[in-house]
Amino acid sequence: MDTSHYAFVNNPDPADRLHLRAKSEKGAASLGKFYNRTPVYVLEERGDWARVRIGRENRGLTGWMMKKYLAYGGDREDVDCAFPSLSVRGDSAELLAEPKEGAASRGEESGGFYVIGVYGDDWTIVMTEDGTVGYVRSGNLWEGNG
């Protein structure tokens, strides 16, 4: 597999997260904030910004990230993963295309996903094993009992 167009989110403070912006501007609307080691596919670069896709084509998110917070090539190996481990409360949680009630569904999830980011206080962004990215109500996930 050709990985030359892939990078990882690489924030200097692993506890912080990197915004995916709707436009290549610091003040542009945020589509979510992503944890270190989230894989992004770089579609284009423009100045200090990279237009990226997170997840599968047509089932992921596309926006802009600052290039200085992305690790390219061999530097990807040095990025520590900051994904939290969360489980679904109950049998399943609905994966939505947007962070709002009534948004288009991308299916139900019972597990088999990675927590890759957050949107505000109420939404968690997950990527399924097949590369589908979507928003899940944070209240539908929990840390488990260890």
Side-chain angles (χ1 to χ4, degrees):
M1 178 173 144
D2 178 14
T3 61
S4 62
H5 291 284
Y6 282 90
F8 285 156
V9 169
N10 185 27
N11 222 318
D13 178 359
D16 203 358
R17 294 165 300 275
L18 180 62
H19 284 280
L20 177 69
R21 302 276 186 190
K23 296 180 183 178
S24 57
E25 304 168 1
K26 281 187 180 181
S30 177
L31 304 174
K33 298 189 312 186
F34 292 84
Y35 292 100
N36 274 8
R37 206 165 176 90
T38 297
V40 301
Y41 184 81
V42 179
L43 299 164
E44 72 175 289
E45 294 181 342
R46 192 179 303 160
D48 294 336
W49 294 86
R51 189 166 73 90
V52 302
R53 182 181 67 239
I54 300 172
R56 283 180 29 196
E57 192 170 354
N58 300 322
R59 303 275 298 168
L61 298 173
T62 301
W64 294 87
M65 289 182 160
M66 294 189 76
K67 290 190 314 189
K68 70 180 179 180
Y69 299 119
L70 298 176
Y72 295 83
D75 292 339
R76 293 182 302 220
E77 297 171 18
D78 298 329
V79 179
D80 290 328
C81 187
F83 300 165
S85 293
L86 300 176
S87 300
V88 173
R89 288 184 191 272
D91 293 334
S92 65
E94 188 171 20
L95 185 64
L96 301 175
E98 297 176 72
K100 64 181 183 181
E101 297 301 332
S105 177
R106 290 195 168 159
E108 294 282 324
E109 274 307 310
S110 58
F113 60 83
Y114 302 96
V115 174
I116 60 171
V118 296
Y119 184 88
D121 294 330
D122 298 329
W123 297 92
T124 299
I125 305 167
V126 302
M127 181 185 305
T128 65
E129 292 174 349
D130 75 353
T132 298
V133 174
Y135 301 87
V136 173
R137 271 256 177 236
S138 297
N140 292 335
L141 302 176
W142 68 306
E143 292 182 21
N145 59 9

